[in-house]
Amino acid sequence: MQLYLAVTVPVLLLTLWLYTAHISRFQFPRLVSKRICLLIAHPDDEAMFFAPTILVLTNPELGNHVKILCLSSGNADGLGETRKQELIASALLLGLRSPADVFMIDDAAFPDSMTTTWSAAGISSVLSSAFIPSRQTSKPLPPIPSKSTRKLTRSSTSSSSRNTPSSATSSSDVKISSMGKGGNETPTSTIDILITFDRYGISRHPNHISLNHGALHWLKSMMKGKEGWECPVTLYTLTSTNILRKYISVLDAPFTMLTCVLASMRGAGGRDKGAGKEMPRRLMYLSDVAGYRTAQKAMTAAHKSQMRWFRWGWIGVGRYMVVNDLRREKV
């Protein structure tokens, strides 16, 4: 009997996992042909928290163009230059098209710190100069340089290119201006979707939480004085869970799916019009076994400098390595 259970239970769990992954991929709303930016605080956030989302959105069949914008080099331990290259390696493993789609702000205004809250206005300023055409300068946001380059250099790529986030500078280079000025002008952006942490930051890390506040500040600033217009950017945030759900890996998938279905039945998970097209209010991404192994490899093979004992536990039982559910934020 014990042998029977030892064989049957893993098989049933694996079957449930694969079935749930199939349902989530084909029965839940998807983003198609979108310009998407993932806003993160540190190198390795993309792998530890957003891997299931990236793996789906970078599927060539969906026609999306995904970029990553990281607001610090994660230099708390003096490994900033190493972590820049690790971020590129991880992003490519997860499906980004090229290193040119990975960008990093290395600015004293955004220190990698467990005790520092970043300025919402400063984050908003960076996003404005990156993604609002009227705020773009002649200096594009610099991609992360090759290993032979020690300092961030500014790319000469045209600011109108879809291969870069177009002209963003560090927070100290730009100032917030009234986005309400010229209120009859249509609000525009070079991205359609912005994805980041929710107001709890998954781990309550102040840098993560700051990104949520900064993203909301940016969208509200963009739409100031634009009453009657639709916001051109839809903001999705990664849902934080309680500590039990955070550490039950794929076992959280059925509960997450049920939550999304019930929200849809209550009218909280349907679609609204935004960015010119109908946008789903809830998104769910669940990796299959291959996707899960890819996410783990993004940590173990790419972010080698960060693989301390507790991160082995995270990539083994952390639900965000397998399951992501995103909510559309109202602005």
Side-chain angles (χ1 to χ4, degrees):
M1 183 64 177
Q2 291 180 343
L3 178 60
Y4 175 78
L5 291 176
V7 174
T8 303
V9 171
V11 171
L12 289 176
L13 289 176
L14 178 60
T15 302
L16 178 62
W17 178 1
L18 296 178
Y19 177 73
T20 308
H22 176 81
I23 292 296
S24 69
R25 178 158 298 188
F26 294 102
Q27 300 300 321
F28 278 72
R30 298 188 295 173
L31 299 179
V32 179
S33 300
K34 300 296 182 184
R35 300 167 298 174
I36 302 169
C37 177
L38 173 64
L39 178 64
I40 59 175
H42 318 104
D44 76 14
D45 286 349
E46 82 295 338
M48 290 180 63
F49 303 108
F50 294 95
T53 296
I54 300 173
L55 286 167
V56 171
L57 294 181
T58 55
N59 185 336
E61 295 179 359
L62 299 182
N64 296 312
H65 189 177
V66 181
K67 311 180 188 74
I68 293 176
L69 175 56
C70 183
L71 291 198
S72 81
S73 62
N75 197 38
D77 298 322
L79 298 172
E81 293 299 324
T82 297
R83 298 192 70 185
K84 291 173 186 176
Q85 302 305 322
E86 290 178 342
L87 175 58
I88 291 178
S90 172
L92 295 179
L93 276 172
L94 293 174
L96 266 71
R97 297 180 183 180
S98 75
D101 288 326
V102 184
F103 302 84
M104 182 178 290
I105 299 294
D106 198 356
D107 193 300
F110 305 123
D112 177 8
S113 172
M114 285 292 296
T115 60
T116 302
T117 297
W118 296 343
S119 164
I123 296 170
S124 174
S125 182
V126 170
L127 293 171
S128 290
S129 61
F131 302 124
I132 297 180
S134 62
R135 294 291 305 281
Q136 292 172 356
T137 67
S138 61
K139 297 180 178 181
L141 182 70
I144 300 176
S146 64
K147 292 183 179 179
S148 61
T149 306
R150 298 298 296 175
K151 293 184 179 180
L152 285 174
T153 56
R154 299 197 180 276
S155 167
S156 60
T157 306
S158 169
S159 63
S160 62
S161 172
R162 286 187 58 185
N163 292 327
T164 66
S166 305
S167 139
T169 60
S170 65
S171 61
S172 58
D173 294 332
V174 290
K175 297 181 180 179
I176 297 290
S177 64
S178 172
M179 300 308 298
K181 193 173 182 179
N184 291 328
E185 298 178 1
T186 304
T188 59
S189 174
T190 57
I191 60 171
D192 306 306
I193 307 290
L194 181 65
I195 299 173
T196 193
F197 295 95
D198 71 1
R199 60 190 178 123
Y200 300 109
I202 309 301
S203 60
R204 294 191 179 274
H205 195 302
N207 297 166
H208 296 175
I209 296 171
S210 296
L211 295 184
N212 178 266
H213 296 164
L216 288 170
H217 187 289
W218 176 53
L219 295 181
K220 291 176 181 178
S221 297
M222 185 195 308
M223 298 307 296
K224 184 178 180 181
K226 306 287 185 179
E227 290 78 7
W229 294 99
E230 291 180 351
C231 183
V233 179
T234 301
L235 173 62
Y236 286 101
T237 58
L238 183 62
T239 304
S240 296
T241 66
N242 59 49
I243 192 168
L244 174 62
R245 291 181 59 195
K246 189 185 296 186
Y247 292 105
I248 60 173
S249 189
V250 71
L251 295 178
D252 186 63
F255 182 81
T256 300
M257 180 175 291
L258 179 61
T259 301
C260 291
V261 170
L262 291 176
S264 179
M265 292 174 63
R266 293 196 304 265
R271 293 175 177 266
D272 275 342
K273 291 185 177 180
K277 296 182 179 180
E278 291 188 349
M279 301 300 297
R281 297 175 186 164
R282 297 288 292 267
L283 299 168
M284 177 182 171
Y285 301 114
L286 172 62
S287 295
D288 56 16
V289 177
Y292 180 39
R293 292 294 298 138
T294 300
Q296 290 180 320
K297 187 177 180 181
M299 285 299 299
T300 60
H303 290 289
K304 293 181 180 179
S305 71
Q306 301 304 297
M307 288 309 299
R308 301 169 186 173
W309 67 268
F310 54 88
R311 289 200 172 90
W312 285 101
W314 178 267
I315 70 172
V317 298
R319 60 95 71 176
Y320 292 96
M321 297 292 294
V322 191
V323 184
N324 282 173
D325 59 309
L326 307 175
R327 298 185 182 185
R328 184 180 55 78
E329 297 285 349
K330 293 183 178 180
V331 179

